[in-house]
Amino acid sequence: MMKITVRPRKSRWYYRLPAKWAALGLVVLMVCFPYPRLLARHLQHWRDPNALINPGSPALEPLLSEARALIPEGTPPKNALSQVQTLVLKRVPYAWDWDTWGMADYLPTVAETLEKGAEDCDGRAVVAASILAGLGYDAKLVTDFAHVWVRTEHGDLMGPGRTTAIVATERGLSFRLRGLTELPRALAYGVAVFPIYRELMILLAAWALLCWPGFRPKRSGLSLLLLIAGLMFVRYGSAEYLKPVMWLQIIGALALLAGVVSPLLGRRGHVPA
């Protein structure tokens, strides 16, 4: 009897490459946003951030009453903004979203922020804008991709960023092209402050996808070392948002690039993917 052996065929690169990107995207999504319902709420909130400004929220009443006591009628607007900022910073301690919500980012309502008792810049900005609205000021939310603050006709508060990227208006989100220049800085800072164990999960997934098929121990090991080194350089070089260490960022970027390229070199018979 003739024996028939079926050898598995490697899929072509133009099938494999999209599959790899899809797999990596799924890993990133699961690591950064592991709660689908909360992610859906987050995206819904960002469709109209100003809708979260709610001076009538019952949860806000104690803070709003305190603000009214601190800011009597006739207080100059600049002083009023300063008082509101100080009040929110004091009553809403800073906490990263992955500690509060288990997500890389979440834009909360006033009630959610005050229920948690701590929030990062976006939750604090929502509370500050709601207090200002309750005092009769027109307040809007503004972001530069890394930070969210409050804009009024009398000035900005809650730590204004350097460049405005997105402004929430009555017509929806208004994008400023100049704000795109802040995107690399924002991404690098996000890498610097995101929990290292979560980043290593993404990095290991990317490394495994890079090395498959055709895993070579020495070349793949070198790739992993370069990727980890690059990640650490980027983290240390980007820890200060307004004062990044450029030479560390450059070394990190080069190490990451070398880590990506090294497992792809020397493959024969197919386009690297």
Side-chain angles (χ1 to χ4, degrees), residues 164-235:
T164 300
I166 301 175
V167 180
T169 68
E170 294 179 356
R171 298 180 179 180
L173 298 181
S174 174
F175 293 85
R176 309 289 173 82
L177 291 178
R178 195 175 72 171
L180 293 176
T181 59
E182 288 296 305
L183 189 55
R185 184 194 300 267
L187 290 174
Y189 180 68
V191 170
V193 298
F194 199 55
I196 183 64
Y197 74 92
R198 294 199 186 200
E199 291 180 340
L200 288 175
M201 292 169 66
I202 296 173
L203 184 144
L204 289 173
W207 171 74
L209 290 169
L210 276 170
C211 294
W212 177 85
F215 181 89
R216 297 182 179 185
K218 290 184 179 180
R219 195 181 298 275
S220 298
L222 175 61
S223 170
L224 181 60
L225 289 176
L226 287 169
L227 290 173
I228 293 175
L231 173 62
M232 299 310 296
F233 275 114
V234 171
R235 282 179 64 91

Side-chain angles (χ1 to χ4, degrees), residues 2-270:
M2 184 175 62
K3 183 177 181 180
I4 300 176
T5 302
V6 179
R7 296 182 178 180
R9 295 180 59 185
K10 295 180 179 178
S11 59
R12 297 185 181 274
W13 70 269
Y14 44 80
Y15 293 127
R16 190 165 61 248
L17 187 57
K20 286 186 175 186
W21 276 109
L24 181 59
L26 181 60
V27 170
V28 172
L29 184 66
M30 292 176 64
V31 170
C32 295
F33 300 96
Y35 305 109
R37 289 186 179 179
L38 208 56
L39 175 59
R41 284 178 59 82
H42 176 61
L43 296 176
Q44 181 66 28
H45 290 171
W46 266 114
R47 291 183 61 184
D48 185 9
N50 284 335
L52 300 178
I53 300 174
N54 183 12
S57 171
L60 187 68
E61 184 55 37
L63 274 180
L64 189 53
S65 297
E66 188 173 351
R68 289 190 177 115
L70 291 171
I71 308 169
E73 188 175 350
T75 300
K78 292 286 186 181
N79 293 348
L81 298 188
S82 178
Q83 290 278 14
V84 169
Q85 176 173 288
T86 301
L87 177 63
V88 174
L89 295 180
K90 181 180 179 180
R91 296 288 184 243
V92 186
Y94 193 93
W96 298 109
D97 280 343
W98 46 84
D99 294 325
T100 307
W101 302 100
M103 305 252 291
D105 191 30
Y106 180 67
L107 179 61
T109 65
V110 172
E112 288 173 331
T113 298
L114 297 178
E115 180 183 357
K116 288 292 185 179
E119 245 296 326
D120 64 2
C121 60
D122 50 15
R124 287 169 139 190
V126 169
V127 171
S130 298
I131 293 174
L132 287 171
L135 296 174
Y137 291 89
D138 183 21
K140 293 181 175 62
L141 300 180
V142 181
T143 182
D144 62 359
F145 295 119
H147 179 58
V148 179
W149 66 96
V150 181
R151 174 157 296 171
T152 75
E153 60 181 340
H154 303 289
D156 294 0
L157 66 155
M158 304 308 294
R162 300 192 319 166
T163 304
T164 300
I166 301 175
V167 180
T169 68
E170 294 179 356
R171 298 180 179 180
L173 298 181
S174 174
F175 293 85
R176 309 289 173 82
L177 291 178
R178 195 175 72 171
L180 293 176
T181 59
E182 288 296 305
L183 189 55
R185 184 194 300 267
L187 290 174
Y189 180 68
V191 170
V193 298
F194 199 55
I196 183 64
Y197 74 92
R198 294 199 186 200
E199 291 180 340
L200 288 175
M201 292 169 66
I202 296 173
L203 184 144
L204 289 173
W207 171 74
L209 290 169
L210 276 170
C211 294
W212 177 85
F215 181 89
R216 297 182 179 185
K218 290 184 179 180
R219 195 181 298 275
S220 298
L222 175 61
S223 170
L224 181 60
L225 289 176
L226 287 169
L227 290 173
I228 293 175
L231 173 62
M232 299 310 296
F233 275 114
V234 171
R235 282 179 64 91
Y236 284 120
S238 309
E240 293 292 334
Y241 180 65
L242 296 178
K243 295 181 180 180
V245 184
M246 292 298 297
W247 68 270
L248 286 176
Q249 290 180 325
I250 292 172
I251 292 176
L254 291 175
L256 288 171
L257 179 61
V260 170
V261 171
S262 58
L264 305 180
L265 298 176
R267 293 184 179 178
R268 299 177 181 178
H270 67 281

